[in-house]
Amino acid sequence: MERTSRKGQSIQFTGDLPAHDRSRTNGGSPARGGTPASATAEPPPPPKSRHSLRRFLAYVRPYTVWIVIAALCGMSKVILPSTMALALRFLTDRLVAGAAGKTAATGAHTDIISRGIEAYIAWMGHLLPGSWRAGTPWGMFNILMITLVFVYVFWGVTFFFRSYLSQMVGHRVILDLRTDLYQHITRLGHSFFQSRQSGGIVSRLMADIALAQNFVGNAMTNIWMDLASCVFYIYVLFAMDARLAAASLMVFPFYILSMRTLGDKSKKTSRAVQAALEQFSGDVQERMAGIQVVKSFAAERREAKSFFVSARKLFNLTMHNVRISTLANALVQWLTQMATLGIIWYGGYQLMHGYTTVGTVVAFILLLRELYFPVNRISEMNTILHNSLAAIDRVFEVFDMQSDVHEQPNARRLPRISGRIRFDHVTFGYQPDSPILRDIDLDIRPGEVVALVGPSGAGKSTLVQLVPRFFDPSAGRVEIDGIDLRTVALRSLRSQIGIVAQETLLFSGSVRDNLLYGRPSASEEEMVAAARAAFAHEFVMQLPEGYDTLIGERGARLSGGQKQRIAIARAFLCNPRILILDEATSALDSESEVLIQQALARLMRNRTSIVIAHRLSTILNSDRIVVMQQGRIEEVASHQALLARNGLYARLYRAQYQASLAG
Ligand code: ADP
């Protein structure tokens, strides 16, 4: 690896790289080789369906009015079709049989429904012109049919509004919930993201919340409509013929039994499916992001195999769930058919003995279908509800995770700082019982450039992460301009710190989008000035669409050096008082290298800078060198003084210097 030192010799100053850290510098694989600390993210509390449900309902509450309207529309939608069967019964038994001169025993009914229809027709008859008023069967029949036309117009309207409103509320709740969850997640501390796969987080945000939406659509509106129609239809059946009604409801207990048993099973499997989906999304996302590593190790086949294994596992779990829900559905459908068959059988017997009428039996068959439809849905709803409840649990589980870096309620806004940084006997560990930084005591003056050196794993990156307060020390404190970071508002702190990381992170979008990311309000001139300062303007102008050129995911269409210059320009634009630099260790062509060195030198001017230094040139240009080892500061002084002391720095320096000379 060629690096140009001040004397024109090449050197790289990284010390020994442990195996896990090499992956980090070798390009793109996970930022940390070691297992990240899950212990620092507070573990989620055990799922509490009821508690989560209550919190979920708080999101639904603002839309109560719409839900009530949707439920009322739903009730009309399921109840109105009964008119068709009742009209048919009236036609067969009262009008046709009546016209054929049958006796009242077989032709007419005395139940409340028929009396109601008679009364309605008589009343309507008064409003109609002459010949229909006489009460002829044809006139009565027409009145009935015209009424049904209007009933079905109204039915169409309720049909529309029931579906529309319930879906609208469902999607609105999703919108609110997703927005809140996204905000919550982005505010969680670094430990959360280090302990989870980003694809898994996305899965909660997308798949789980979408499942939770079912709850609104189904539970909040369908249940009322289905319960109302059950009550209504049972009432109508009993009003028409109590014995037939009792006979037709005999399968009900079996119904309820099968719903219960299968519903419980379904809840369990649906949780497992969602968990597997989260894991799967996480893995896939990670592999896609690191596709270069996959390719460079020619591991496509292995990856395809492990993809297949995970996909297969998800498939098996899903199929288990599908088996249960379709079994439940088939059972219910079968029971419905049995009920109809039973009615025909028993109804036929009743008919043959003259205990009931043809119209009643036909109406029963039609109405039974209307009754079993909502019952079917209630049974399916059981499964849907279980699935949504499991999803709601998983969503609120994330809401319950707290950032380990809290902003105090009375946190003060940090004014424009001069940039003095003080580590006051700081101790810190990702896990409470294994400190990574031990008793760090360091005072950095405003405008000073401090180079952090030391073997890999010494704690350099960890130390700089405490400055923007990505983590809080477990003992001691970090101060900026004499103010303890725990007491300041995070935004006011972080907006004054610029970070240029080893691995340049850009978003897909245009060059402009990326430059303005830290300061969207910057003017065109300011943006161009920043790009010029970072030696980025020239190459940007050569891109097909200049600043509006799309750069691909993570800036894939730019070279490594170009990406770094964009990142430097981005930092310029924010004009931070404090600068944290993690020098890239990967080799760049020497022209890019020189440009980047110059850009960084400009960027550091008049700012307090902490540089995790890998290049001798950077180290020599710094005001002080802090040498770290195993979480402690071993030495602090200038290059010459440290060499004269002949300690750790001198040893590291000689090892690197000689190695590079030999190379
Ligand atoms: P350096 O930057 O000097 O190479 P780091 O600060 O990256 O050192 O790491 C110091 C130690 O902390 C290493 O042993 C590393 O494995 C460990 N470490 C770093 N990040 C994490 C993390 N998120 N969770 C747990 N351990 C970590």
Side-chain angles (χ1 to χ4, degrees):
M1 285 196 211
E2 288 283 297
R3 297 275 174 267
T4 314
S5 78
R6 207 163 48 169
K7 297 172 194 142
Q9 286 143 334
S10 54
I11 188 166
Q12 184 174 7
F13 209 92
T14 48
D16 280 333
L17 281 181
H20 79 262
D21 247 286
R22 254 176 233 136
S23 67
R24 183 166 100 189
T25 50
N26 275 353
S29 73
R32 296 285 166 195
T35 321
S38 51
T40 44
E42 280 176 24
K48 298 176 216 142
S49 293
R50 229 189 245 167
H51 185 55
S52 314
L53 184 60
R54 203 168 338 123
R55 291 161 71 186
F56 178 74
L57 289 181
Y59 278 87
V60 181
R61 199 160 301 131
Y63 307 109
T64 312
V65 176
W66 297 116
I67 291 179
V68 170
I69 297 176
L72 289 176
C73 286
M75 288 184 199
S76 323
K77 182 201 132 187
V78 290
I79 286 171
L80 293 180
S82 65
T83 50
M84 192 101 79
L86 296 176
L88 200 60
R89 177 177 182 243
F90 193 77
L91 171 74
T92 332
D93 293 350
R94 165 77 172 77
L95 300 179
V96 177
K102 297 264 174 72
T103 63
T106 54
H109 306 282
T110 51
D111 58 72
I112 182 167
I113 294 164
S114 300
R115 276 188 276 125
I117 297 177
E118 292 267 6
Y120 168 77
I121 292 177
W123 177 69
M124 282 299 283
H126 288 296
L127 304 176
L128 291 174
S131 62
W132 289 21
R133 207 175 288 170
T136 61
W138 178 237
M140 292 166 85
F141 182 57
N142 280 320
I143 290 176
L144 212 51
M145 288 297 108
I146 292 168
T147 309
L148 281 197
V149 169
F150 284 107
V151 165
Y152 272 88
V153 168
F154 183 62
W155 177 84
V157 174
T158 58
F159 192 105
F160 172 81
F161 279 106
R162 189 213 81 81
S163 297
Y164 177 78
L165 291 178
S166 65
Q167 291 196 42
M168 180 202 69
V169 172
H171 288 293
R172 280 196 174 227
V173 169
I174 284 201
L175 177 68
D176 298 347
L177 195 57
R178 220 173 239 162
T179 313
D180 282 1
L181 189 62
Y182 183 72
Q183 271 188 17
H184 178 76
I185 289 177
T186 49
R187 285 186 190 145
L188 282 175
H190 270 223
S191 49
F192 171 79
F193 295 96
Q194 285 172 354
S195 62
R196 292 190 174 248
Q197 292 173 304
S198 48
I201 302 171
V202 172
S203 163
R204 296 225 178 181
L205 207 49
M206 308 310 282
D208 283 312
I209 290 197
L211 260 187
Q213 185 231 353
N214 278 338
F215 190 85
V216 184
N218 286 286
M220 316 298 284
T221 58
N222 286 4
I223 195 137
W224 298 119
M225 137 181 151
D226 292 335
L227 285 179
S229 66
C230 284
V231 171
F232 174 80
Y233 281 104
I234 290 173
Y235 172 77
V236 171
L237 293 183
F238 273 94
M240 286 197 306
D241 190 322
R243 261 184 304 179
L244 261 186
S248 57
L249 297 184
M250 277 197 354
V251 291
F252 251 64
F254 299 105
Y255 232 91
I256 291 167
L257 198 69
S258 50
M259 269 158 44
R260 288 222 147 182
T261 335
L262 294 171
D264 283 351
K265 281 211 166 118
S266 164
K267 183 176 181 182
K268 266 191 218 129
T269 51
S270 128
R271 247 183 184 280
V273 168
Q274 289 301 107
L277 184 65
E278 174 177 334
Q279 171 82 38
F280 190 43
S281 320
D283 286 346
V284 172
Q285 216 260 346
E286 215 170 88
R287 291 305 181 271
M288 288 295 120
I291 192 74
Q292 280 180 345
V293 180
V294 174
K295 286 190 177 299
S296 65
F297 286 100
E300 289 95 337
R301 196 185 282 191
R302 186 156 29 105
E303 283 302 333
K305 216 169 174 182
S306 83
F307 180 91
F308 178 73
V309 170
S310 307
R312 186 82 207 180
K313 185 179 162 210
L314 183 62
F315 169 81
N316 288 340
L317 282 171
T318 311
M319 283 317 293
H320 188 47
N321 202 17
V322 166
R323 263 196 300 280
I324 292 171
S325 54
T326 40
L327 180 65
N329 201 8
L331 208 60
V332 156
Q333 296 294 341
W334 179 74
L335 285 172
T336 314
Q337 300 299 345
M338 285 295 112
T340 312
L341 205 62
I343 268 312
I344 295 176
W345 201 334
Y346 184 63
Y349 167 81
Q350 296 270 53
L351 259 182
M352 286 175 194
H353 288 80
Y355 299 144
T356 191
T357 63
V358 178
T360 303
V361 175
V362 172
F364 252 80
I365 293 171
L366 291 176
L367 290 180
L368 256 193
R369 307 228 149 222
E370 299 290 342
L371 170 65
Y372 277 92
F373 182 65
V375 175
N376 276 348
R377 248 213 332 238
I378 291 178
S379 80
E380 277 174 21
M381 190 186 301
N382 201 31
T383 325
I384 295 174
L385 286 193
H386 278 145
N387 293 353
S388 344
L389 278 181
I392 288 173
D393 268 351
R394 288 161 53 83
V395 167
F396 283 95
E397 216 171 85
V398 181
F399 270 120
D400 282 335
M401 289 175 192
Q402 293 298 325
S403 178
D404 31 19
V405 172
H406 295 283
E407 187 170 278
Q408 288 177 358
N410 54 351
R412 55 195 274 203
R413 258 191 55 100
L414 204 58
R416 182 83 182 152
I417 52 176
S418 66
R420 177 173 172 197
I421 306 171
R422 174 154 168 65
F423 294 91
D424 183 5
H425 296 281
V426 167
T427 296
F428 169 78
Y430 295 97
Q431 268 100 5
D433 44 356
S434 56
I436 301 287
L437 300 175
R438 299 153 205 259
D439 197 30
I440 299 283
D441 202 52
L442 180 67
D443 203 344
I444 303 174
R445 292 186 305 276
E448 192 180 12
V449 176
V450 169
L452 292 183
V453 300
S456 194
K460 303 181 293 287
S461 312
T462 306
L463 183 69
V464 295
Q465 298 211 52
L466 301 186
V467 180
R469 207 181 158 211
F470 289 154
F471 299 95
D472 280 331
S474 41
R477 47 199 233 154
V478 184
E479 290 173 358
I480 286 184
D481 285 9
I483 304 169
D484 187 344
L485 293 189
R486 284 197 184 88
T487 63
V488 305
L490 286 174
R491 220 178 118 83
S492 66
L493 167 70
R494 292 180 184 166
S495 63
Q496 301 195 53
I497 299 175
I499 302 175
V500 179
Q502 202 178 80
E503 238 178 80
T504 311
L505 267 184
L506 300 179
F507 292 123
S508 59
S510 63
V511 174
R512 183 190 306 277
D513 296 339
N514 275 284
L515 285 176
L516 294 181
Y517 191 78
R519 226 187 101 204
S521 59
S523 70
E524 182 79 13
E525 290 74 40
E526 287 172 315
M527 180 187 75
V528 174
R532 278 186 198 282
F535 299 102
H537 180 70
E538 291 71 23
F539 87 79
V540 172
M541 290 318 285
Q542 283 167 15
L543 294 173
E545 287 166 64
Y547 283 92
D548 293 313
T549 311
L550 299 178
I551 58 169
E553 197 177 14
R554 296 165 174 235
R557 289 190 208 132
L558 299 179
S559 75
Q562 290 172 335
K563 278 193 271 190
Q564 280 183 10
R565 278 179 275 162
I566 299 268
I568 294 170
R570 187 167 64 180
F572 256 118
L573 203 52
C574 293
N575 191 21
R577 292 298 308 138
I578 294 176
L579 193 65
I580 292 170
L581 272 176
D582 194 349
E583 250 181 8
T585 50
S586 51
L588 289 174
D589 60 272
S590 46
E591 192 192 327
S592 296
E593 190 66 57
V594 171
L595 287 180
I596 286 169
Q597 288 300 322
Q598 289 178 359
L600 286 177
R602 277 189 192 175
L603 183 60
M604 284 193 271
R605 209 172 293 152
N606 298 326
R607 301 178 214 276
T608 311
S609 307
I610 307 181
V611 191
I612 300 177
H614 298 293
R615 299 185 180 96
L616 184 63
S617 56
T618 316
I619 295 165
L620 295 180
N621 285 330
S622 62
D623 297 316
R624 268 191 305 168
I625 300 164
V626 174
V627 188
M628 290 184 69
Q629 175 162 266
Q630 291 183 351
R632 290 185 194 283
I633 294 182
E634 292 288 324
E635 302 169 318
V636 184
S638 69
H639 174 70
Q640 289 307 336
L642 286 173
L643 279 188
R645 193 179 291 174
N646 203 16
L648 175 63
Y649 177 81
R651 281 204 303 283
L652 283 172
Y653 172 76
R654 276 196 299 269
Q656 287 300 318
Y657 193 59
Q658 278 154 11
S660 72
L661 272 185

